[in-house]
Amino acid sequence: MPAPKKALRRTLSVTSAALTALAVLSPAALAAPDPSKSPTPTPPASMSTMGGARLGKPGTQVDLAGGAPVLPKDLTARSWIVADAESGDVLAAHNAHWRLAPASTLKMLFADTLLPKWPKTTQHKVEVSDLAGIGAGSSLVGVKEEETYTVHDLWLGVFLRSGNDAVHVLSAMNGGVDRTVADMNEHAEELQALDTNVVSPDGYDAPHQVSSAYDLTLFARSGLQKKDFREYASTVSAKFPGQTEKDKKGKTTRNSFEIQNTNRLLSGDSDMDVYPGIAGVKNGNTTNAGATFTGVAERNGKVLLVTVMNPAKDEHNEVYKETARLFDWGFAAAGKTRPVGELVRPKSAAQASPGPDASGEAGGTGKGAAGTAPVAGSTASDGSGGVGIAAGVTAGVLVLLAGGAFLVNRKWPLPDLVRRRTRP
């Protein structure tokens, strides 16, 4: 063979090997931007087209039919999405695939990944090493070293107080932070959430840690398949174990203290009411991410998911106010818009549809949350000390309807997610 052809063949072989090596690397690892370097407020000209070509375009994407209301004019978020939680139809979106810092909304992926690993009654004594590496200024629920907590306690700390200390303890139980980060990235890939690159399991700002409004919505939708996830996400207040104290006689006591959910659409605040029909899911706020939020709400049999990332308007609770306006629009526009994309199913769900007996329960024993539908303000049946499930929600009580046939046109149906009815 002539020498030039040999050289060409060697060049092609090297090129092929290099491309193969790149192909096996995570797309997120290759291309994840660094949000810690003050990202420009201008979205990329080209983004992922997962879920549809229009979702990869910068700017607002909506297709209004006759009689559909216009979108709210006062939206300032860098990225947002409004989707039907059950059909997966995306009703409208704005820079849906823009890869931004996620803050504690990333805890939805953390919970969806780890919730099935242990029964909620599992106990763990916290070691000093469990709390190592928590970022300065992190949100904490008050986990103390050398104290014993149930998994149920720790998940309440994650969902209600966004406790990074609870996240780190659960990560330690899972084999450590590095193992948990790997598990989360693997699960994100299974969900086809390819905008996401996890660096820290609690969502604390870290170089190259990114997600998108689209991916956060996928995490919420997947998590809401699990009964425990739905219960924790809709809990307004709970009792959390305090520190053990010993009196002069050597007698030990351990009291608990109340924790409140920081999701203001669920718990309300001085400048806003509880949003009717709200049932979760997770908020976040860091220096790089700004305010982020994903919420789920139901009205007249329609269940919507809304994600809002980093509103530019610097007002108290702005992320919740813009979310509420998008919920209002979505419920009014349902049936009057043509979808601009869809929430894709996980890889495994695309190959198998859930049967009518799918419970979506989490927890190693399969018991998950309480077996009966909890009423607002009731005491949980596991004796957790009066966990209020959606207590104070004016739209009514959380009802988890059992079983039933799924509608044929639902691409990845929720197990009769949440239904609220007027209080008597």
Side-chain angles (χ1 to χ4, degrees), residues 46 67 95 331:
S46 178
N95 302 324
F331 287 123

Side-chain angles (χ1 to χ4, degrees), residues 84-87 112 220-231 296 298 301 303 305 353-362 373 398-407 410-419:
D84 186 307
E86 296 179 301
S87 72
D112 193 38
R221 193 183 189 210
S222 178
L224 289 164
Q225 299 283 330
K226 298 176 174 64
K227 185 183 291 185
D228 283 357
F229 189 105
R230 297 195 299 272
E231 177 184 320
V296 62
E298 187 272 342
V303 183
L305 282 163
S353 299
D357 61 343
S359 67
E361 292 194 18
L398 178 65
V399 180
L400 303 175
L401 301 181
F406 297 120
L407 297 180
R410 293 182 181 176
K411 299 180 177 117
W412 188 38
L414 299 175
D416 288 319
L417 171 62
V418 283
R419 304 296 179 210

Side-chain angles (χ1 to χ4, degrees), residues 69 72 275-276 299 304 306 321-333:
Y275 189 82
R299 186 180 300 173
L304 297 182
V306 172
K321 294 173 182 177
E322 295 195 16
T323 299
R325 289 194 286 272
L326 284 170
F327 268 130
D328 288 343
W329 175 84
F331 287 123

Side-chain angles (χ1 to χ4, degrees), residues 245-325:
E245 297 179 353
K246 183 182 295 186
D247 63 18
K248 295 179 180 179
K249 296 181 179 180
K251 182 180 179 181
T252 59
T253 58
R254 190 182 187 190
N255 296 319
S256 59
F257 57 92
E258 186 173 280
I259 56 175
Q260 296 281 340
N261 200 314
T262 54
N263 171 0
R264 298 308 178 197
L265 290 188
L266 187 68
S267 61
D269 205 358
S270 58
D271 61 341
M272 63 186 310
D273 295 328
V274 171
Y275 189 82
I278 193 71
V281 287
K282 192 70 190 74
N283 56 320
N285 197 316
T286 65
T287 301
N288 294 336
T292 60
F293 180 67
T294 298
V296 62
E298 187 272 342
R299 186 180 300 173
N300 298 326
K302 179 69 67 175
V303 183
L304 297 182
L305 282 163
V306 172
T307 295
V308 172
M309 301 186 75
N310 200 344
K313 188 182 293 184
D314 187 19
E315 292 189 8
H316 186 54
N317 289 328
E318 181 62 25
V319 71
Y320 303 109
K321 294 173 182 177
E322 295 195 16
T323 299
R325 289 194 286 272

Side-chain angles (χ1 to χ4, degrees), residues 41-263:
T42 303
S46 178
M47 294 175 280
S48 168
T49 57
M50 181 67 70
R54 291 189 64 172
L55 298 182
K57 297 180 179 179
T60 301
Q61 307 300 320
V62 65
D63 192 354
L64 302 176
V70 297
L71 284 164
K73 299 295 184 184
D74 50 352
L75 299 174
T76 67
R78 287 185 175 183
S79 177
W80 54 259
I81 191 169
V82 182
D84 186 307
E86 296 179 301
S87 72
D89 291 339
V90 176
L91 307 186
H94 180 75
N95 302 324
H97 282 292
W98 193 358
R99 304 176 78 191
L100 300 167
S104 286
T105 45
L106 194 64
K107 290 183 173 77
M108 294 186 294
L109 175 61
F110 173 78
D112 193 38
T113 304
L114 264 63
L115 259 172
K117 290 182 177 282
W118 313 282
K120 62 198 303 182
T121 54
T122 300
Q123 294 188 338
H124 177 75
K125 185 176 182 179
V126 177
E127 300 179 8
V128 175
S129 59
D130 294 351
L131 299 175
I134 298 175
S138 289
S139 54
L140 305 172
V141 67
V143 173
K144 302 297 183 182
E145 59 192 47
E146 304 300 329
E147 294 284 4
T148 299
Y149 299 86
T150 65
V151 164
H152 178 64
D153 295 328
L154 295 170
W155 282 121
L156 287 171
V158 170
F159 277 86
L160 273 66
R161 297 301 303 173
S162 204
N164 288 5
D165 46 359
V167 169
H168 277 252
V169 172
L170 287 164
S171 295
M173 294 174 63
N174 188 53
V177 167
D178 291 345
R179 166 69 182 274
T180 300
V181 166
D183 288 349
M184 290 172 67
N185 279 316
E186 181 180 357
H187 189 50
E189 185 176 351
E190 153 65 15
L191 297 178
Q192 304 198 70
L194 303 184
D195 297 327
T196 297
N197 185 54
V198 180
V199 177
S200 175
D202 50 23
Y204 190 83
D205 287 336
H208 306 292
Q209 178 151 275
V210 289
S211 191
S212 66
Y214 183 87
D215 283 9
L216 293 175
T217 309
L218 291 183
F219 301 152
R221 193 183 189 210
S222 178
L224 289 164
Q225 299 283 330
K226 298 176 174 64
K227 185 183 291 185
D228 283 357
F229 189 105
R230 297 195 299 272
E231 177 184 320
Y232 292 128
S234 62
T235 299
V236 176
S237 64
K239 296 294 185 181
F240 192 81
Q243 192 165 10
T244 300
E245 297 179 353
K246 183 182 295 186
D247 63 18
K248 295 179 180 179
K249 296 181 179 180
K251 182 180 179 181
T252 59
T253 58
R254 190 182 187 190
N255 296 319
S256 59
F257 57 92
E258 186 173 280
I259 56 175
Q260 296 281 340
N261 200 314
T262 54
N263 171 0

